[in-house]
Amino acid sequence: MFKIDDTSKTIYISRGDAATIEVKANDGEYEFQQGDILRLRVYEKKNYSNPVMEVETIVNKPTKSVNLALSKQKTVIGEDINKPKTYWYEISLNETITIIGYDEDGAKEFIIYPAEKGE
């Protein structure tokens, strides 16, 4: 299962599932440039000191959207779970600009659901 709530920017994913997140900036008006680095970091709630997952991609040509690929291995965070676990996340550009992250609406949530039995 994979879903992103367009309003809250909450990401929902089943543990061990692969997914691709399409990232746009400034409502799709910003053009990413070749060499830009887009990075997703996922953290324990209320603890931005140590990411539990990090995914990055380097832009290879000017474009208005960039895909961040989450592998099955990346979404296996922590111990096995039997109920959803909520993390916080942010997406940054070149380590200098936060595209999605903590704002006036609070933290952006990355919610992992238990994997199917046998996963």
Side-chain angles (χ1 to χ4, degrees):
M1 198 259 324
F2 173 69
K3 176 181 150 188
I4 299 176
D5 182 296
D6 290 334
T7 304
S8 68
K9 304 293 186 222
T10 299
I11 297 173
Y12 304 90
I13 190 165
S14 293
R15 189 172 191 268
D17 280 3
T20 301
I21 299 171
E22 181 183 23
V23 180
K24 297 179 181 179
N26 290 347
D27 296 322
E29 295 301 314
Y30 178 79
E31 185 170 78
F32 298 98
Q33 299 301 308
Q34 182 175 349
D36 280 347
I37 299 172
L38 210 61
R39 185 171 286 121
L40 162 74
R41 287 191 177 114
V42 177
Y43 303 90
E44 291 280 348
K45 284 172 67 172
K46 301 180 183 179
N47 182 3
Y48 279 105
S49 63
N50 189 25
V52 295
M53 181 177 82
E54 188 171 312
V55 175
E56 75 174 38
T57 191
I58 299 172
V59 177
N60 58 17
K61 65 180 180 179
T63 182
K64 291 196 175 190
S65 70
V66 176
N67 289 331
L68 283 169
L70 306 181
S71 68
K72 294 174 84 164
Q73 295 80 15
K74 289 284 187 180
T75 64
V76 177
I77 299 172
E79 312 255 334
D80 282 339
I81 55 175
N82 59 11
K83 61 182 180 179
K85 182 161 183 181
T86 302
Y87 295 88
W88 289 358
Y89 80 94
E90 66 181 11
I91 297 175
S92 65
L93 173 63
N94 298 326
E95 293 288 338
T96 58
I97 300 169
T98 302
I99 295 175
I100 300 173
Y102 204 109
D103 60 18
E104 64 274 358
D105 296 324
K108 299 304 169 240
E109 295 184 330
F110 189 95
I111 300 174
I112 295 187
Y113 288 94
E116 288 186 34
K117 194 171 185 156
E119 298 271 325

